[in-house]
């Protein structure tokens, strides 16, 4: 495999351990008919193994140096030189089957990538990512734990999430200072409109951005200030980390039922 110097600005840490690469590909289990997007293929370590099983693969790579190498190695591969956060995912959906997404993604933009997928959740069936272990713990955290927060509540609303396995820093170049993990996300077939999605996300962020305060005080310091939550059925003296995901959903339904018109002006 050709080598190029990993760039810190792109958060590049190359993985070349064939064992782990195979385990990641087996986790997404590509079939010939799947529509797959790989985020940040780099020099093609994962790409090679996916391409053996599925030629309907699109790779989105921001580094022009890597794009040149990939195009030489895989002339038939759909390689897009762009920032994944800026591409139009609708263009990659054929309307019949949902997308699978895979990647060894930059640690510094893991959350934005996850929220981008949530935004387009109806297009995606599942995703498998190699990410920082600490972020993986936040994604799978449960109510009351120290890692439970915005990422866990919002992600678990739209996905079933599992940590597949941990990965040592010793298998990367350059070697990161932290452990990594492979996470598998299965996107739920949700019937949710854009208003409900927007209110839910705003509500979760409002409550956890003031996580030391009670729910009542957090809401009064947010865009929802002035709205009466006393009949919401939620104990407003609790803090956000004491709520289970269903509580956030019931608060969202309460807001939509009681204040739908006002919310459209607020959001």
């Amino acid at each position: 495999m050709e080598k190029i110097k990993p760039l810190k600005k792109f958060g590049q840490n190359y993985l070349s351990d064939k064992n782990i690469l195979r385990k990641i590909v087996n986790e997404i289990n590509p079939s010939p008919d799947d529509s797959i997007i790989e985020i940040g293929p780099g020099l093609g370590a994962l790409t090679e193994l996916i391409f053996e099983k599925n030629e309907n693969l699109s790779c989105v790579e921001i580094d022009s140096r890597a794009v040149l190498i990939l195009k030489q190695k895989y002339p038939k591969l759909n390689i897009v030189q762009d920032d994944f956060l800026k591409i139009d995912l609708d263009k990659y959906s054929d309307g019949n089957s949902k997308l699978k997404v895979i990647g060894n993604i930059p640690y510094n933009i893991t959350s934005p990538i996850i929220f981008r997928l949530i935004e387009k959740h109806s297009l995606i069936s599942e995703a498998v990512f190699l990410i920082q272990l600490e972020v993986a713990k936040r994604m799978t955290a449960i109510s009351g734990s120290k890692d439970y927060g915005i990422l866990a509540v919002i992600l678990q609303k739209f996905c079933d999430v599992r940590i597949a396995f941990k990965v040592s820093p010793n298998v990367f170049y350059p070697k990161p200072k932290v452990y990594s993990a492979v996470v598998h996300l299965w996107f739920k077939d949700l019937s949710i409109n854009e208003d409900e999605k927007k209110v839910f996300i705003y509500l979760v962020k409002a409550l956890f951005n003031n996580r030391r305060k009670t729910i009542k005080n957090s809401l009064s310091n947010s865009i929802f200030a002035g709205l009466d939550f006393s009949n919401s059925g939620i104990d407003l003296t609790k803090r956000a980390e004491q709520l289970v995901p269903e509580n956030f959903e019931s608060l969202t339904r309460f807001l939509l039922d009681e204040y739908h018109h006002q919310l459209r002006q607020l959001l």
Side-chain angles (χ1 to χ4, degrees):
M1 180 183 289
E2 291 190 59
K3 289 190 176 181
I4 55 177
K5 183 180 179 181
L7 295 179
K8 191 172 182 180
K9 69 176 181 177
F10 293 143
Q12 292 171 331
N13 295 89
Y14 295 134
L15 170 67
S16 57
D17 187 296
K18 287 286 186 183
N19 246 351
I20 293 172
L21 289 165
R22 286 193 194 93
K23 285 178 71 175
I24 295 170
V25 174
N26 288 341
E27 193 69 32
I28 200 78
N29 191 25
S31 69
D33 298 327
D34 287 334
S35 295
I36 303 176
I37 295 178
E38 183 184 3
I39 303 173
L43 300 178
L46 266 178
T47 312
E48 180 181 1
L49 298 178
I50 301 169
F51 203 58
E52 288 173 359
K53 300 183 178 184
N54 179 299
E55 294 187 2
N56 187 25
L57 170 66
S58 297
C59 294
V60 182
E61 173 60 59
I62 198 169
D63 188 345
S64 59
R65 304 170 307 159
V67 167
L68 185 62
I69 291 170
L70 289 169
K71 284 185 174 179
Q72 291 172 345
K73 190 173 182 181
Y74 303 104
K76 294 182 179 180
L77 185 63
N78 181 28
I79 302 167
V80 181
Q81 186 182 339
D82 207 343
D83 180 345
F84 176 78
L85 296 173
K86 296 178 181 177
I87 68 169
D88 182 1
L89 282 173
D90 294 270
K91 291 181 179 179
Y92 297 85
S93 172
D94 60 11
N96 297 316
S97 59
K98 294 188 176 184
L99 299 169
K100 289 185 175 182
V101 185
I102 189 170
N104 171 15
I105 59 179
Y107 294 165
N108 59 331
I109 57 168
T110 299
S111 290
I113 287 173
I114 295 298
F115 281 107
R116 178 76 174 128
L117 296 187
I118 288 172
E119 182 186 335
K120 292 291 185 179
H121 67 95
S122 61
L123 299 176
I124 302 161
S125 62
E126 57 186 299
V128 171
F129 292 134
L130 177 58
I131 62 172
Q132 188 174 338
L133 177 60
E134 290 306 311
V135 178
K137 288 179 178 178
R138 296 203 331 252
M139 290 167 65
T140 55
I142 60 173
S143 175
S145 66
K146 69 179 179 67
D147 293 315
Y148 186 64
I150 292 171
L151 188 58
V153 175
I154 294 177
L155 185 59
Q156 291 172 37
K157 163 77 173 176
F158 294 90
C159 306
D160 292 314
V161 192
R162 177 175 66 87
I163 297 178
F165 55 92
K166 298 176 185 178
V167 181
S168 165
N170 297 323
V171 296
F172 292 94
Y173 172 72
K175 181 175 164 183
K177 296 178 181 178
V178 295
Y179 269 77
S180 302
V182 171
V183 291
H184 199 148
L185 285 60
W186 291 269
F187 283 76
K188 300 173 183 176
D189 190 13
L190 288 181
S191 176
I192 181 172
N193 60 42
E194 287 304 310
D195 283 348
E196 184 180 349
K197 185 193 299 185
K198 190 180 290 187
V199 172
F200 178 80
I201 291 172
Y202 265 92
L203 179 67
V204 174
K205 288 182 176 180
L207 292 177
F208 277 106
N209 282 337
N210 297 284
R211 63 186 302 148
R212 289 184 175 275
K213 296 182 178 180
T214 64
I215 293 165
K216 183 178 180 180
N217 288 339
S218 294
L219 291 170
S220 66
N221 284 282
S222 73
I223 59 169
F224 304 111
L227 303 183
D228 184 2
F229 285 82
S230 57
N231 293 320
S232 64
I234 300 295
D235 183 351
L236 301 178
T237 65
K238 288 186 174 182
R239 294 189 300 274
E241 62 264 30
Q242 295 175 286
L243 300 183
V244 295
E246 291 76 19
N247 295 146
F248 293 96
E249 293 182 11
S250 63
L251 273 172
T252 300
R253 286 193 297 271
F254 170 79
L255 278 166
L256 288 167
D257 289 344
E258 297 294 321
Y259 299 109
H260 200 193
H261 179 68
Q262 291 98 312
L263 291 173
R264 291 212 162 178
Q265 294 176 328
L266 289 172
L267 307 178

